[in-house]
Amino acid sequence: MEHVKHIRNFSIIAHIDHGKSTLADRLLDLTGSLSDREKKEQFLDDMELEKERGITIKARSVTITHVYNGEKYQLNLIDTPGHVDFSYEVSRALTSCEGALLVVDATQGVEAQTLANVYMAIESNLEIIPVINKIDLPSADIDKTREEIEDVIGIDAENALLVSAKTGEGVDKLLDRIVTDIPAPLYDPQEKTRALVFDSWFDPYLGVRMLTRVFNGSIKHGEMIYLMQSKAAYEVLDISRYTPFLKKVNEVQTGEVAVLSAGIKTIHEVKIGETITLDQNRAVNPLPGFKPMKQMVFCGIFPVETSKYEELKKAIEKLALNDSSFSFDPETSSALGFGFRCGFLGMLHLEIIKERLEREFELELITTAPSVSYKVVTLSGDELFVQNPDKLPKTQFIDNIQEPFVRASIFTHAAYIGGLVKLCLEKRGKQTNMIYHSTDRVTLEYVIPLGEIVYDFYDKLKSISKGFASLDYEFTDYRRSDLVKMDILINGDPVDALSVIVHKEKAYYIGRALVQKMRKVIPRQMYDVAIQAAIGSRVLSRETVKAYRKDVTAKCYGGDVSRKRKLLEKQKEGKKRMKQLGNVEIPQEAFLAVLDTAEDG
């Protein structure tokens, strides 16, 4: 196992926009992994959406070679996302590494997601190398950033590397430090072959491809492997390594990272965190996997044209093959027809899935208001998890409703504390802590209902703090709350897709804002259209879309007033009959209005 000494597995952790993907580009450049023709910005972010938004969505791995003191070292870089919605991708990547580069922007300092990810790395017992990036910028404050790393994170930053990923300054020293500071993979020569799957995706030609880190033993082409969670055996058809393009190899050994294909037909047969062992010589204990991901935000996705349901179904199934963190179940709505109730990790994840469905599959979609999963305890003592407000049992059967709470850490400049505290109070948050890291850097800690965060909390946070504040949150538990289901009635009929679960105190304000918005978007008919927000049989607010009115008395001039009255009565009867038979077309904007009320309410 001599080769293990020359392997280093590491990942780069940082807050969004601190230069993670650019640093990965420089490492590829300096190790000669790419020719000039192949070079392009953010090389590892190869999804169109990643390029456009400038964020990393999927964790990626790449193997590069570095020569240090005349010896060749194999460095396996596992690139991770920085956004809070994709933190599960980070946790998976970290279990496959022995070290991590902690990249901090010299102009921004330590931010919320830096903290969340570095604590994950510390929990995984990784060797952490602090790297201060963007030193070429005029606003870079290196001493202050060093101080912040020491005070806020508690890591010695005396020997922090100073680099500029953009210009390449200091990156060669970084490569040497990876070799000297990050330990070689540990292994037990007595242990049988065990490898951990930390990502998987679907390939139309080879089936499921598994990004794997081998902890003990080796896996060769053509061998039979056994998946310990799925309890199934498969033959290895292909072993490849990203260097950075996929390159076939015959064998993957202890400490190495590679992509395995074994003709597995659906992604559901491979759970992330799965342990692979050899079928002929099975290991007894699986490797510790990851905490399963919990979908936090749910919403209905429906095609604009009902005939496109089958197309949507195929598109969602294909997308789910490459994203195991996204769930979907068929559902029907009297207003929108057939569609799916989908579960996401957060609002950014929802946005990205919706955008991918519209782009890659050319679909036109309507999404209902996002909601979270509520725990409903019935009078008979049963516990139900309700993701769709329409599926909430009738009030007389409910003992109590509990909603998910999260622990939110807001990292901000001291100047914006007032506005942010007011925002958190509006969102029913309770402050648990307030830590001053320096005279102008503060962490606010709140326990806050997740349902209040999913709408527009992040946008408001950014606008109050002029883009400075950053947010990280993690689920804590379910707590009892005074929640009610609010229906929107159009001419007395509830529209199921517009129902929302709201806190009793806020119900009147949200109801009023909603019906006012709806009045603007529902087109006028030949009869009055009443829009009401109601809780059970109690109407909170009402607006009316006035009817078109033809002047039927125009031809009557002079004579008895009863002639005019007769014509008006006749018109009134006609409108009444129309109202009984008429069907109000609800435009797509009306469903989007539900999302906007949070801002006005």
Side-chain angles (χ1 to χ4, degrees), residues 451-471:
E452 297 282 355
I453 287 185
V454 298
Y455 278 109
D456 58 343
F457 185 80
Y458 193 70
D459 296 346
K460 284 192 170 174
L461 176 99
K462 287 291 183 195
S463 67
I464 289 169
S465 65
K466 299 188 171 60
F468 270 100
S470 55
L471 166 78

mmCIF file with all atom_site columns, all heavy atoms in Angstrom, residues 451-471:
data_model
loop_
_atom_site.group_PDB
_atom_site.id
_atom_site.type_symbol
_atom_site.label_atom_id
_atom_site.label_alt_id
_atom_site.label_comp_id
_atom_site.label_asym_id
_atom_site.label_entity_id
_atom_site.label_seq_id
_atom_site.pdbx_PDB_ins_code
_atom_site.Cartn_x
_atom_site.Cartn_y
_atom_site.Cartn_z
_atom_site.occupancy
_atom_site.B_iso_or_equiv
_atom_site.pdbx_formal_charge
_atom_site.auth_seq_id
_atom_site.auth_comp_id
_atom_site.auth_asym_id
_atom_site.auth_atom_id
_atom_site.pdbx_PDB_model_num
ATOM 1   N N   . GLY A 1 451 ? -41.571 28.296 8.268  1.00 0.00 ? 451 GLY A N   1
ATOM 2   C CA  . GLY A 1 451 ? -42.601 28.824 7.356  1.00 0.00 ? 451 GLY A CA  1
ATOM 3   C C   . GLY A 1 451 ? -42.445 30.310 7.089  1.00 0.00 ? 451 GLY A C   1
ATOM 4   O O   . GLY A 1 451 ? -42.850 30.821 6.048  1.00 0.00 ? 451 GLY A O   1
ATOM 5   N N   . GLU A 1 452 ? -41.840 31.047 8.046  1.00 0.00 ? 452 GLU A N   1
ATOM 6   C CA  . GLU A 1 452 ? -41.658 32.494 7.877  1.00 0.00 ? 452 GLU A CA  1
ATOM 7   C C   . GLU A 1 452 ? -40.420 32.794 7.028  1.00 0.00 ? 452 GLU A C   1
ATOM 8   O O   . GLU A 1 452 ? -40.274 33.870 6.486  1.00 0.00 ? 452 GLU A O   1
ATOM 9   C CB  . GLU A 1 452 ? -41.494 33.171 9.246  1.00 0.00 ? 452 GLU A CB  1
ATOM 10  C CG  . GLU A 1 452 ? -42.706 33.040 10.150 1.00 0.00 ? 452 GLU A CG  1
ATOM 11  C CD  . GLU A 1 452 ? -43.834 33.995 9.780  1.00 0.00 ? 452 GLU A CD  1
ATOM 12  O OE1 . GLU A 1 452 ? -43.629 34.819 8.880  1.00 0.00 ? 452 GLU A OE1 1
ATOM 13  O OE2 . GLU A 1 452 ? -44.909 33.903 10.387 1.00 0.00 ? 452 GLU A OE2 1
ATOM 14  N N   . ILE A 1 453 ? -39.507 31.832 6.954  1.00 0.00 ? 453 ILE A N   1
ATOM 15  C CA  . ILE A 1 453 ? -38.253 32.062 6.212  1.00 0.00 ? 453 ILE A CA  1
ATOM 16  C C   . ILE A 1 453 ? -38.437 31.771 4.725  1.00 0.00 ? 453 ILE A C   1
ATOM 17  O O   . ILE A 1 453 ? -37.821 32.392 3.885  1.00 0.00 ? 453 ILE A O   1
ATOM 18  C CB  . ILE A 1 453 ? -37.121 31.177 6.792  1.00 0.00 ? 453 ILE A CB  1
ATOM 19  C CG1 . ILE A 1 453 ? -36.680 31.733 8.145  1.00 0.00 ? 453 ILE A CG1 1
ATOM 20  C CG2 . ILE A 1 453 ? -35.929 31.095 5.861  1.00 0.00 ? 453 ILE A CG2 1
ATOM 21  C CD1 . ILE A 1 453 ? -35.503 31.021 8.770  1.00 0.00 ? 453 ILE A CD1 1
ATOM 22  N N   . VAL A 1 454 ? -39.336 30.795 4.399  1.00 0.00 ? 454 VAL A N   1
ATOM 23  C CA  . VAL A 1 454 ? -39.342 30.313 3.010  1.00 0.00 ? 454 VAL A CA  1
ATOM 24  C C   . VAL A 1 454 ? -39.824 31.329 1.982  1.00 0.00 ? 454 VAL A C   1
ATOM 25  O O   . VAL A 1 454 ? -39.516 31.182 0.814  1.00 0.00 ? 454 VAL A O   1
ATOM 26  C CB  . VAL A 1 454 ? -40.149 28.993 2.827  1.00 0.00 ? 454 VAL A CB  1
ATOM 27  C CG1 . VAL A 1 454 ? -39.564 27.879 3.623  1.00 0.00 ? 454 VAL A CG1 1
ATOM 28  C CG2 . VAL A 1 454 ? -41.618 29.181 3.133  1.00 0.00 ? 454 VAL A CG2 1
ATOM 29  N N   . TYR A 1 455 ? -40.584 32.349 2.392  1.00 0.00 ? 455 TYR A N   1
ATOM 30  C CA  . TYR A 1 455 ? -41.075 33.282 1.372  1.00 0.00 ? 455 TYR A CA  1
ATOM 31  C C   . TYR A 1 455 ? -39.992 34.238 0.895  1.00 0.00 ? 455 TYR A C   1
ATOM 32  O O   . TYR A 1 455 ? -39.359 34.054 -0.108 1.00 0.00 ? 455 TYR A O   1
ATOM 33  C CB  . TYR A 1 455 ? -42.268 34.092 1.909  1.00 0.00 ? 455 TYR A CB  1
ATOM 34  C CG  . TYR A 1 455 ? -43.564 33.342 1.823  1.00 0.00 ? 455 TYR A CG  1
ATOM 35  C CD1 . TYR A 1 455 ? -44.192 32.870 2.951  1.00 0.00 ? 455 TYR A CD1 1
ATOM 36  C CD2 . TYR A 1 455 ? -44.160 33.104 0.598  1.00 0.00 ? 455 TYR A CD2 1
ATOM 37  C CE1 . TYR A 1 455 ? -45.389 32.181 2.873  1.00 0.00 ? 455 TYR A CE1 1
ATOM 38  C CE2 . TYR A 1 455 ? -45.347 32.412 0.504  1.00 0.00 ? 455 TYR A CE2 1
ATOM 39  C CZ  . TYR A 1 455 ? -45.964 31.957 1.650  1.00 0.00 ? 455 TYR A CZ  1
ATOM 40  O OH  . TYR A 1 455 ? -47.133 31.283 1.548  1.00 0.00 ? 455 TYR A OH  1
ATOM 41  N N   . ASP A 1 456 ? -39.784 35.281 1.686  1.00 0.00 ? 456 ASP A N   1
ATOM 42  C CA  . ASP A 1 456 ? -38.970 36.390 1.182  1.00 0.00 ? 456 ASP A CA  1
ATOM 43  C C   . ASP A 1 456 ? -37.955 36.837 2.221  1.00 0.00 ? 456 ASP A C   1
ATOM 44  O O   . ASP A 1 456 ? -37.422 37.928 2.124  1.00 0.00 ? 456 ASP A O   1
ATOM 45  C CB  . ASP A 1 456 ? -39.898 37.561 0.847  1.00 0.00 ? 456 ASP A CB  1
ATOM 46  C CG  . ASP A 1 456 ? -40.697 37.973 2.074  1.00 0.00 ? 456 ASP A CG  1
ATOM 47  O OD1 . ASP A 1 456 ? -40.772 37.172 3.026  1.00 0.00 ? 456 ASP A OD1 1
ATOM 48  O OD2 . ASP A 1 456 ? -41.247 39.085 2.101  1.00 0.00 ? 456 ASP A OD2 1
ATOM 49  N N   . PHE A 1 457 ? -37.722 36.010 3.240  1.00 0.00 ? 457 PHE A N   1
ATOM 50  C CA  . PHE A 1 457 ? -36.844 36.410 4.346  1.00 0.00 ? 457 PHE A CA  1
ATOM 51  C C   . PHE A 1 457 ? -35.446 36.752 3.838  1.00 0.00 ? 457 PHE A C   1
ATOM 52  O O   . PHE A 1 457 ? -34.870 37.772 4.184  1.00 0.00 ? 457 PHE A O   1
ATOM 53  C CB  . PHE A 1 457 ? -36.773 35.264 5.370  1.00 0.00 ? 457 PHE A CB  1
ATOM 54  C CG  . PHE A 1 457 ? -35.995 35.603 6.609  1.00 0.00 ? 457 PHE A CG  1
ATOM 55  C CD1 . PHE A 1 457 ? -36.577 36.342 7.628  1.00 0.00 ? 457 PHE A CD1 1
ATOM 56  C CD2 . PHE A 1 457 ? -34.687 35.184 6.771  1.00 0.00 ? 457 PHE A CD2 1
ATOM 57  C CE1 . PHE A 1 457 ? -35.869 36.658 8.786  1.00 0.00 ? 457 PHE A CE1 1
ATOM 58  C CE2 . PHE A 1 457 ? -33.969 35.497 7.913  1.00 0.00 ? 457 PHE A CE2 1
ATOM 59  C CZ  . PHE A 1 457 ? -34.571 36.231 8.924  1.00 0.00 ? 457 PHE A CZ  1
ATOM 60  N N   . TYR A 1 458 ? -34.911 35.892 2.966  1.00 0.00 ? 458 TYR A N   1
ATOM 61  C CA  . TYR A 1 458 ? -33.540 36.062 2.468  1.00 0.00 ? 458 TYR A CA  1
ATOM 62  C C   . TYR A 1 458 ? -33.409 37.374 1.684  1.00 0.00 ? 458 TYR A C   1
ATOM 63  O O   . TYR A 1 458 ? -32.454 38.123 1.848  1.00 0.00 ? 458 TYR A O   1
ATOM 64  C CB  . TYR A 1 458 ? -33.175 34.860 1.596  1.00 0.00 ? 458 TYR A CB  1
ATOM 65  C CG  . TYR A 1 458 ? -31.713 34.751 1.279  1.00 0.00 ? 458 TYR A CG  1
ATOM 66  C CD1 . TYR A 1 458 ? -30.787 34.420 2.273  1.00 0.00 ? 458 TYR A CD1 1
ATOM 67  C CD2 . TYR A 1 458 ? -31.239 34.991 -0.009 1.00 0.00 ? 458 TYR A CD2 1
ATOM 68  C CE1 . TYR A 1 458 ? -29.440 34.326 1.993  1.00 0.00 ? 458 TYR A CE1 1
ATOM 69  C CE2 . TYR A 1 458 ? -29.891 34.890 -0.300 1.00 0.00 ? 458 TYR A CE2 1
ATOM 70  C CZ  . TYR A 1 458 ? -28.998 34.559 0.708  1.00 0.00 ? 458 TYR A CZ  1
ATOM 71  O OH  . TYR A 1 458 ? -27.656 34.476 0.410  1.00 0.00 ? 458 TYR A OH  1
ATOM 72  N N   . ASP A 1 459 ? -34.408 37.662 0.835  1.00 0.00 ? 459 ASP A N   1
ATOM 73  C CA  . ASP A 1 459 ? -34.374 38.899 0.031  1.00 0.00 ? 459 ASP A CA  1
ATOM 74  C C   . ASP A 1 459 ? -34.412 40.132 0.931  1.00 0.00 ? 459 ASP A C   1
ATOM 75  O O   . ASP A 1 459 ? -33.689 41.100 0.715  1.00 0.00 ? 459 ASP A O   1
ATOM 76  C CB  . ASP A 1 459 ? -35.582 38.960 -0.924 1.00 0.00 ? 459 ASP A CB  1
ATOM 77  C CG  . ASP A 1 459 ? -35.537 37.841 -1.946 1.00 0.00 ? 459 ASP A CG  1
ATOM 78  O OD1 . ASP A 1 459 ? -34.458 37.226 -2.073 1.00 0.00 ? 459 ASP A OD1 1
ATOM 79  O OD2 . ASP A 1 459 ? -36.560 37.560 -2.596 1.00 0.00 ? 459 ASP A OD2 1
ATOM 80  N N   . LYS A 1 460 ? -35.295 40.079 1.941  1.00 0.00 ? 460 LYS A N   1
ATOM 81  C CA  . LYS A 1 460 ? -35.422 41.237 2.850  1.00 0.00 ? 460 LYS A CA  1
ATOM 82  C C   . LYS A 1 460 ? -34.146 41.423 3.659  1.00 0.00 ? 460 LYS A C   1
ATOM 83  O O   . LYS A 1 460 ? -33.711 42.548 3.896  1.00 0.00 ? 460 LYS A O   1
ATOM 84  C CB  . LYS A 1 460 ? -36.621 41.040 3.780  1.00 0.00 ? 460 LYS A CB  1
ATOM 85  C CG  . LYS A 1 460 ? -37.942 41.290 3.087  1.00 0.00 ? 460 LYS A CG  1
ATOM 86  C CD  . LYS A 1 460 ? -39.074 41.379 4.076  1.00 0.00 ? 460 LYS A CD  1
ATOM 87  C CE  . LYS A 1 460 ? -40.337 41.881 3.380  1.00 0.00 ? 460 LYS A CE  1
ATOM 88  N NZ  . LYS A 1 460 ? -41.497 41.860 4.250  1.00 0.00 ? 460 LYS A NZ  1
ATOM 89  N N   . LEU A 1 461 ? -33.568 40.294 4.093  1.00 0.00 ? 461 LEU A N   1
ATOM 90  C CA  . LEU A 1 461 ? -32.320 40.332 4.858  1.00 0.00 ? 461 LEU A CA  1
ATOM 91  C C   . LEU A 1 461 ? -31.241 41.051 4.051  1.00 0.00 ? 461 LEU A C   1
ATOM 92  O O   . LEU A 1 461 ? -30.517 41.904 4.552  1.00 0.00 ? 461 LEU A O   1
ATOM 93  C CB  . LEU A 1 461 ? -31.901 38.896 5.162  1.00 0.00 ? 461 LEU A CB  1
ATOM 94  C CG  . LEU A 1 461 ? -30.584 38.670 5.873  1.00 0.00 ? 461 LEU A CG  1
ATOM 95  C CD1 . LEU A 1 461 ? -30.859 38.456 7.357  1.00 0.00 ? 461 LEU A CD1 1
ATOM 96  C CD2 . LEU A 1 461 ? -29.876 37.442 5.343  1.00 0.00 ? 461 LEU A CD2 1
ATOM 97  N N   . LYS A 1 462 ? -31.154 40.695 2.757  1.00 0.00 ? 462 LYS A N   1
ATOM 98  C CA  . LYS A 1 462 ? -30.129 41.298 1.891  1.00 0.00 ? 462 LYS A CA  1
ATOM 99  C C   . LYS A 1 462 ? -30.411 42.774 1.648  1.00 0.00 ? 462 LYS A C   1
ATOM 100 O O   . LYS A 1 462 ? -29.498 43.589 1.588  1.00 0.00 ? 462 LYS A O   1
ATOM 101 C CB  . LYS A 1 462 ? -30.066 40.554 0.540  1.00 0.00 ? 462 LYS A CB  1
ATOM 102 C CG  . LYS A 1 462 ? -29.414 39.179 0.638  1.00 0.00 ? 462 LYS A CG  1
ATOM 103 C CD  . LYS A 1 462 ? -27.937 39.277 0.921  1.00 0.00 ? 462 LYS A CD  1
ATOM 104 C CE  . LYS A 1 462 ? -27.232 37.966 0.966  1.00 0.00 ? 462 LYS A CE  1
ATOM 105 N NZ  . LYS A 1 462 ? -25.912 38.045 1.578  1.00 0.00 ? 462 LYS A NZ  1
ATOM 106 N N   . SER A 1 463 ? -31.701 43.134 1.479  1.00 0.00 ? 463 SER A N   1
ATOM 107 C CA  . SER A 1 463 ? -31.988 44.540 1.172  1.00 0.00 ? 463 SER A CA  1
ATOM 108 C C   . SER A 1 463 ? -31.787 45.418 2.416  1.00 0.00 ? 463 SER A C   1
ATOM 109 O O   . SER A 1 463 ? -31.295 46.532 2.317  1.00 0.00 ? 463 SER A O   1
ATOM 110 C CB  . SER A 1 463 ? -33.379 44.712 0.567  1.00 0.00 ? 463 SER A CB  1
ATOM 111 O OG  . SER A 1 463 ? -34.352 44.397 1.522  1.00 0.00 ? 463 SER A OG  1
ATOM 112 N N   . ILE A 1 464 ? -32.136 44.904 3.612  1.00 0.00 ? 464 ILE A N   1
ATOM 113 C CA  . ILE A 1 464 ? -31.939 45.701 4.839  1.00 0.00 ? 464 ILE A CA  1
ATOM 114 C C   . ILE A 1 464 ? -30.450 45.929 5.072  1.00 0.00 ? 464 ILE A C   1
ATOM 115 O O   . ILE A 1 464 ? -30.022 47.007 5.471  1.00 0.00 ? 464 ILE A O   1
ATOM 116 C CB  . ILE A 1 464 ? -32.574 44.976 6.060  1.00 0.00 ? 464 ILE A CB  1
ATOM 117 C CG1 . ILE A 1 464 ? -34.104 45.032 5.963  1.00 0.00 ? 464 ILE A CG1 1
ATOM 118 C CG2 . ILE A 1 464 ? -32.110 45.591 7.382  1.00 0.00 ? 464 ILE A CG2 1
ATOM 119 C CD1 . ILE A 1 464 ? -34.838 44.140 6.954  1.00 0.00 ? 464 ILE A CD1 1
ATOM 120 N N   . SER A 1 465 ? -29.636 44.877 4.806  1.00 0.00 ? 465 SER A N   1
ATOM 121 C CA  . SER A 1 465 ? -28.209 44.973 5.132  1.00 0.00 ? 465 SER A CA  1
ATOM 122 C C   . SER A 1 465 ? -27.364 45.403 3.932  1.00 0.00 ? 465 SER A C   1
ATOM 123 O O   . SER A 1 465 ? -26.143 45.274 3.956  1.00 0.00 ? 465 SER A O   1
ATOM 124 C CB  . SER A 1 465 ? -27.719 43.630 5.646  1.00 0.00 ? 465 SER A CB  1
ATOM 125 O OG  . SER A 1 465 ? -27.805 42.676 4.614  1.00 0.00 ? 465 SER A OG  1
ATOM 126 N N   . LYS A 1 466 ? -28.032 45.874 2.858  1.00 0.00 ? 466 LYS A N   1
ATOM 127 C CA  . LYS A 1 466 ? -27.342 46.277 1.615  1.00 0.00 ? 466 LYS A CA  1
ATOM 128 C C   . LYS A 1 466 ? -26.421 45.158 1.109  1.00 0.00 ? 466 LYS A C   1
ATOM 129 O O   . LYS A 1 466 ? -25.320 45.399 0.610  1.00 0.00 ? 466 LYS A O   1
ATOM 130 C CB  . LYS A 1 466 ? -26.543 47.563 1.837  1.00 0.00 ? 466 LYS A CB  1
ATOM 131 C CG  . LYS A 1 466 ? -27.415 48.747 2.238  1.00 0.00 ? 466 LYS A CG  1
ATOM 132 C CD  . LYS A 1 466 ? -26.629 50.035 2.271  1.00 0.00 ? 466 LYS A CD  1
ATOM 133 C CE  . LYS A 1 466 ? -27.504 51.235 2.455  1.00 0.00 ? 466 LYS A CE  1
ATOM 134 N NZ  . LYS A 1 466 ? -28.295 51.260 3.692  1.00 0.00 ? 466 LYS A NZ  1
ATOM 135 N N   . GLY A 1 467 ? -26.873 43.915 1.279  1.00 0.00 ? 467 GLY A N   1
ATOM 136 C CA  . GLY A 1 467 ? -26.120 42.763 0.741  1.00 0.00 ? 467 GLY A CA  1
ATOM 137 C C   . GLY A 1 467 ? -25.046 42.230 1.673  1.00 0.00 ? 467 GLY A C   1
ATOM 138 O O   . GLY A 1 467 ? -24.399 41.242 1.361  1.00 0.00 ? 467 GLY A O   1
ATOM 139 N N   . PHE A 1 468 ? -24.843 42.868 2.842  1.00 0.00 ? 468 PHE A N   1
ATOM 140 C CA  . PHE A 1 468 ? -23.745 42.437 3.715  1.00 0.00 ? 468 PHE A CA  1
ATOM 141 C C   . PHE A 1 468 ? -24.072 41.212 4.554  1.00 0.00 ? 468 PHE A C   1
ATOM 142 O O   . PHE A 1 468 ? -23.227 40.368 4.784  1.00 0.00 ? 468 PHE A O   1
ATOM 143 C CB  . PHE A 1 468 ? -23.338 43.586 4.666  1.00 0.00 ? 468 PHE A CB  1
ATOM 144 C CG  . PHE A 1 468 ? -22.273 44.453 4.092  1.00 0.00 ? 468 PHE A CG  1
ATOM 145 C CD1 . PHE A 1 468 ? -22.584 45.664 3.507  1.00 0.00 ? 468 PHE A CD1 1
ATOM 146 C CD2 . PHE A 1 468 ? -20.952 44.041 4.105  1.00 0.00 ? 468 PHE A CD2 1
ATOM 147 C CE1 . PHE A 1 468 ? -21.604 46.471 2.948  1.00 0.00 ? 468 PHE A CE1 1
ATOM 148 C CE2 . PHE A 1 468 ? -19.955 44.844 3.549  1.00 0.00 ? 468 PHE A CE2 1
ATOM 149 C CZ  . PHE A 1 468 ? -20.286 46.048 2.973  1.00 0.00 ? 468 PHE A CZ  1
ATOM 150 N N   . ALA A 1 469 ? -25.310 41.149 5.090  1.00 0.00 ? 469 ALA A N   1
ATOM 151 C CA  . ALA A 1 469 ? -25.621 40.078 6.056  1.00 0.00 ? 469 ALA A CA  1
ATOM 152 C C   . ALA A 1 469 ? -25.694 38.732 5.350  1.00 0.00 ? 469 ALA A C   1
ATOM 153 O O   . ALA A 1 469 ? -26.062 38.648 4.176  1.00 0.00 ? 469 ALA A O   1
ATOM 154 C CB  . ALA A 1 469 ? -26.944 40.372 6.738  1.00 0.00 ? 469 ALA A CB  1
ATOM 155 N N   . SER A 1 470 ? -25.320 37.680 6.065  1.00 0.00 ? 470 SER A N   1
ATOM 156 C CA  . SER A 1 470 ? -25.452 36.342 5.495  1.00 0.00 ? 470 SER A CA  1
ATOM 157 C C   . SER A 1 470 ? -26.166 35.451 6.506  1.00 0.00 ? 470 SER A C   1
ATOM 158 O O   . SER A 1 470 ? -26.133 35.690 7.712  1.00 0.00 ? 470 SER A O   1
ATOM 159 C CB  . SER A 1 470 ? -24.085 35.786 5.128  1.00 0.00 ? 470 SER A CB  1
ATOM 160 O OG  . SER A 1 470 ? -23.234 35.815 6.242  1.00 0.00 ? 470 SER A OG  1
ATOM 161 N N   . LEU A 1 471 ? -26.829 34.431 5.977  1.00 0.00 ? 471 LEU A N   1
ATOM 162 C CA  . LEU A 1 471 ? -27.729 33.622 6.799  1.00 0.00 ? 471 LEU A CA  1
ATOM 163 C C   . LEU A 1 471 ? -27.373 32.151 6.708  1.00 0.00 ? 471 LEU A C   1
ATOM 164 O O   . LEU A 1 471 ? -27.045 31.637 5.642  1.00 0.00 ? 471 LEU A O   1
ATOM 165 C CB  . LEU A 1 471 ? -29.168 33.838 6.281  1.00 0.00 ? 471 LEU A CB  1
ATOM 166 C CG  . LEU A 1 471 ? -30.242 32.855 6.752  1.00 0.00 ? 471 LEU A CG  1
ATOM 167 C CD1 . LEU A 1 471 ? -30.680 33.196 8.172  1.00 0.00 ? 471 LEU A CD1 1
ATOM 168 C CD2 . LEU A 1 471 ? -31.454 32.900 5.830  1.00 0.00 ? 471 LEU A CD2 1
#
